[in-house]
């Protein structure tokens, strides 16, 4: 009967969760269904389902701790903003109470289920069923006595965010929803060679943004393959532990910018909305929505949102000679086109390197990879590689070094 009381108590704990309300979570819900079926034959199917769902995770204890660290509630959102002092004491009491209950819930084992079944035949089958791991490690900062780690949780959320923004750092916009990007490239600022002046402008602007200082929307424009997009990706990796998150949208989603901004307007996180390879045809009107998002809409700019865009064009709008011939108000149209790029506030130019800079980039990447090559031969081959591919660029340099490294490791001549 003692074991039965424990199982019933765990069910009560699930029912009474307040701040961390996980009753809708699939695995917690499956456990709750299992605990509600302890005295009937459906217990077999429900324990089977609970085990199957949990089998893709390290342990139940690890799973519950991850739920805690990635929950979106009044406490985690306040902690991410550094505003827990503004919470009522009752909220913090609720957090402490829930953490105590969740630690007990996370410790339930299959051995707590089997003795609670009065039917001997069903009990025998339960004994033969596989047992889930209930003794694994919880995720830091939760170790033991979870309710004593409230201050550690405040620190965690201040650095890592809350809810889905604690699980993921980058998102795409699809079907009017944020879709997490589970794997973000590991490129760092140190991986990018030369263009120090350009990158420093973006770094300074981003740091001001994170520190709640005035910051500008940014347009990175210039030649293809010069590291515009890579700079933005590296910025995310550099500052993701300081509350920076990124939402990548396509040009076709620009008309959703107002909706996107409203969804994250009350978040304490900092968001860069990233638009890659931005340009418009002269007859497109979606640039009007972008202009309003950059500056000038009634809703105004949000202090937690900036737009970073890359383009191969300074003025963003492609035009033909026929556009000029048919436009009787050419001056007004030109001002309209220029006003879009001007509203970015900060424009950073990336141009292709000359031969000396290109070879300098090649040598720096080779040094990072630890390649032991004859420098003169490496430079001659890199220049030939660039000529065959239509020009020098940092992307071209990286592709050449990828080729050389692959050949070296396979023992092939390059």
């Amino acid at each position: 009967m003692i074991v039965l009381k424990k199982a019933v108590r765990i069910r009560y704990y699930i029912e009474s969760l307040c701040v961390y309300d996980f009753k809708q979570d699939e695995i917690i819900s499956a456990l709750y269904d299992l605990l509600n079926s302890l005295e009937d034959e459906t217990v077999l199917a429900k324990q089977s389902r609970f085990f199957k769902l949990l089998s893709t995770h390290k342990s139940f204890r690890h799973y519950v701790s991850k739920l805690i660290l990635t929950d979106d509630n009044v406490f985690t959102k306040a902690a991410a903003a550094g505003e827990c002092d503004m919470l009522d004491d009752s909220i913090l009491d609720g957090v402490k109470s829930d953490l105590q209950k969740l630690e007990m819930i996370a410790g339930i084992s299959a051995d707590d289920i089997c003795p609670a079944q009065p039917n001997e035949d069903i009990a025998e089958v339960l004994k033969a069923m596989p047992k889930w791991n209930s003794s694994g490690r919880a995720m830091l900062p939760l170790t033991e006595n979870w309710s004593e780690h409230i201050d550690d949780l405040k620190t965690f959320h201040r650095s890592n965010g809350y809810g889905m923004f604690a699980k993921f750092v980058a998102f795409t916009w699809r079907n009017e929803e944020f879709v997490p990007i589970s794997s973000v490239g590991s490129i760092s600022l140190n991986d990018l060679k030369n263009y120090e002046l350009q990158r420093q402008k973006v770094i300074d602007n981003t740091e001001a943004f994170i520190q709640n200082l005035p910051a500008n929307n940014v347009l990175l424009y210039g030649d293809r393959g010069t590291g515009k997009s890579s700079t933005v990706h590296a910025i995310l990796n550099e500052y993701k532990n300081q509350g920076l998150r990124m939402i990548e949208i396509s040009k076709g989603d620009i008309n959703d910018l107002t909706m996107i901004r409203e969804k994250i307007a009350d978040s304490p996180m900092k968001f860069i909305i990233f638009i890659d390879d931005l340009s418009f045809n002269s007859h497109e009107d979606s640039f009007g929505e972008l202009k309003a998002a950059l500056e000038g809409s009634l809703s105004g700019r949000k202090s937690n949102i900036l737009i970073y865009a890359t383009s191969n064009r300074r003025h963003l709008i492609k035009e033909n000679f026929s556009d000029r011939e048919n436009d009787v108000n050419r001056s007004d149209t030109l001002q309209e086109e220029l006003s879009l790029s001007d509203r970015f506030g900060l424009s950073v130019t990336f141009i292709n390197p000359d031969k000396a800079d290109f070879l300098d980039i090649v040598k720096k990447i080779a040094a990072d990879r630890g390649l032991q090559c004859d420098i003169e031969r490496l430079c001659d081959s890199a220049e030939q590689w660039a000529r065959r591919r239509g020009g020098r660029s940092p992307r071209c340099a990286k592709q050449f070094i990828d080729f050389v490294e692959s050949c070296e490791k396979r023992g092939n001549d390059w």
Side-chain angles (χ1 to χ4, degrees), residues 189-214:
L189 291 171
N190 290 332
D191 293 331
L192 304 175
K193 307 305 178 186
N194 298 6
Y195 297 90
E196 289 86 358
L197 180 61
Q198 289 91 331
R199 273 195 300 278
Q200 193 59 50
K201 290 180 180 179
V202 184
I203 291 170
D204 291 343
N205 189 73
T206 306
E207 289 183 348
F209 177 48
I210 291 171
Q211 296 167 17
N212 294 315
L213 299 173

Side-chain angles (χ1 to χ4, degrees), residues 7-30:
V8 171
R9 191 165 64 250
I10 295 297
R11 190 189 75 200
Y12 291 159
Y13 285 162
I14 295 175
E15 291 174 344
S16 62
L17 291 172
C18 297
V19 180
Y20 291 96
D21 187 0
F22 297 140
K23 290 187 278 291
Q24 301 304 315
D25 176 77
E26 185 178 35
I27 292 180
I28 298 297
S29 176

